[in-house]
Every structure is written in C-alpha cells, then in structure tokens.
Amino acid sequence: MSADGIFARALGADFARLHPEMQRRFGVGVDAGYGCVGRGVMSEVRRGPWWTLPFLFIGTLRNIMFPDRGTGIPFRIDNHAYVDSLGRETVTFVRTMEIRPGRRRRFDATMIYSDRRGRIVDYLGTHQHLAVDLDLAVTEDGGLRLTSGAQRFYEGPIAFRFPMLLSGRAHLIERFDDERGCYVIDLEVHNDLLGFLFGYRGTFTCEFVDGDDVPETAKPYREERRE
C-alpha cells in the first residue's frame, strides 16, 4: 500500500495543482491519519422527468440515487480512510441528505486505487455491486473534475460490463471558494438515452477528524474483490 493517498496516486504530479484546501480534503488517507466530515446545504437537488423515476427508485435500494428533489437541503458527507478486509486502502464518500423531516436519503460510495487499471475505482452503493472507473482532472482554479466511465456489475458468480443504456454517467466538479471560505460541489448524472437523471449543487465546510475514528455506518455491508 502506497504512502500517498488514493487521489494523489491517481492524479500524480497534478495533485499539487489542486487548491491547498482541496489537497487537504482529498489527501484523506490511512497514512495521512485523518478523515473529513463536511456539513452544508444543497441549494438544489434535481431529478429528470417522470420516465427517469424507475432508475431512481431502484437506486434507493442500495443508496445510489433517489427520486426526491428540493432546495435548501441540509447534508453531510463523510470521507474516512481505512484498510478493508481485502487489504485495500479505501476511502468512503457517504452523502446524507435531510430531504425533509422524516425523510433522509443516502448516496454511498467507497473508492480504491486500482494498480491494474491505473485509476480510482468507485464502488457504488451499500454492497459494492457496481464498480465504476473514474477519470480525474484538475481545473484551472484548482478544483477537481470527476467523470465516471466504464461500469461493471458483480454479484456472486455473476460479472458483466454494465450497459450504459441502463445506467448513468456522472460529471462532478468540486472546488474551494476563497471568498466564501467553503467548498462548492456540483454533480449531474446523465443516461445516454433518457438524458438528465439526477443532480445536486451546494456548499459545505469541513471538519478534519481523527483517522482512527471510522464509523461502521460509513462502510459497505459487503466488499467486492473484483475491480
């Protein structure tokens, strides 16, 4: 396991081009010794037209996407690093949104750096059934652009490349706003056939916490060996 965090390994020399606050946030790792808990407000959570609802309802079963929408939604994001049962450095990306009183939604992901693929692999949902290749780039203002690529479905003996017509491509930009002193996030998910499926945008601040304090609720129920 490398002493560098998974994002530093994926970006290489470009990691130094990130804004210093972005370097700190995406520097979360086992050897770094800290995690990151962000709290803020989603100014908008959106979804596509009615015909996209089946995709989104299915996503709620594994904390991937959801059909709710709204404005001014409080949220929390948990980024913690740990070594999983397969010996891989793993970083959690668990987003919890208080859609309204009595309705809480989660968007779960755990990420590893794959030496074989030379990139970060993002396992979506609570059971790591869906493994997604991520392409990363640094923006001119020191933000991070993330684009999802090929997707693979794994369950027991079943393994196949997931057809993009049945899934979505994520486009995310995160940056640090010096004037407001906060992080800014903007995500959109599109389906090749149906168009826009889901998205959110908002701002948050971060608390950097002890790396040994990794809540079990941030970890997946199941770990997938295949990348």
Side-chain angles (χ1 to χ4, degrees):
M1 188 170 61
S2 171
D4 292 328
I6 65 171
F7 284 90
R9 296 177 69 187
L11 285 169
D14 279 347
F15 188 80
R17 295 178 50 228
L18 288 171
H19 186 288
E21 292 297 331
M22 292 289 290
Q23 290 185 41
R24 187 181 186 195
R25 172 159 155 66
F26 286 93
V28 168
V30 173
D31 286 336
Y34 67 88
C36 176
V37 177
R39 295 179 177 87
V41 175
M42 291 297 180
S43 58
E44 184 180 25
V45 175
R46 302 177 292 144
R47 63 166 171 80
W50 64 268
W51 58 79
T52 65
L53 289 176
F55 285 87
L56 302 179
F57 277 115
I58 291 171
T60 63
L61 300 176
R62 289 292 185 263
N63 288 354
I64 297 177
M65 290 187 291
F66 47 83
D68 306 87
R69 55 187 174 184
T71 59
I73 295 173
F75 81 99
R76 167 176 171 148
I77 180 166
D78 281 83
N79 301 117
H80 302 281
Y82 63 97
V83 178
D84 72 6
S85 65
L86 302 170
R88 306 174 302 189
E89 180 173 20
T90 304
V91 179
T92 69
F93 277 76
V94 175
R95 288 137 287 194
T96 305
M97 301 186 195
E98 299 288 344
I99 299 296
R100 59 179 179 271
R103 173 63 62 85
R104 179 180 295 171
R105 295 295 197 190
R106 277 180 49 151
F107 191 164
D108 290 13
T110 43
M111 302 186 186
I112 66 165
Y113 181 82
S114 169
D115 288 310
R116 182 166 65 88
R117 296 184 180 276
R119 66 181 66 246
I120 287 177
V121 172
D122 185 9
Y123 290 104
L124 299 183
T126 55
H127 289 67
Q128 293 194 346
H129 287 312
L130 200 59
V132 180
D133 290 344
L134 297 185
D135 292 320
L136 308 179
V138 179
T139 63
E140 291 185 2
D141 60 356
L144 182 65
R145 179 185 295 112
L146 179 155
T147 305
S148 66
Q151 303 181 9
R152 296 164 297 280
F153 182 87
Y154 300 123
E155 168 58 26
I158 301 172
F160 61 88
R161 183 160 176 162
F162 203 80
M164 295 308 297
L165 284 178
L166 300 178
S167 188
R169 299 181 190 274
H171 303 273
L172 179 145
I173 293 180
E174 186 173 319
R175 62 183 178 85
F176 189 81
D177 187 316
D178 285 303
E179 292 186 2
R180 291 185 286 175
C182 64
Y183 296 88
V184 179
I185 190 168
D186 192 334
L187 168 80
E188 289 192 354
V189 181
H190 292 259
N191 175 267
D192 289 349
L193 180 63
L194 298 177
F196 175 75
L197 290 179
F198 177 79
Y200 55 70
R201 57 173 61 98
T203 60
F204 62 99
T205 57
C206 284
E207 174 189 4
F208 295 92
V209 298
D210 189 326
D212 292 329
D213 187 19
V214 182
E216 289 299 316
T217 54
K219 297 180 181 180
Y221 296 146
R222 164 186 175 273
E223 293 174 344
E224 175 57 57
R225 179 181 300 275
R226 292 161 293 186
E227 299 174 0

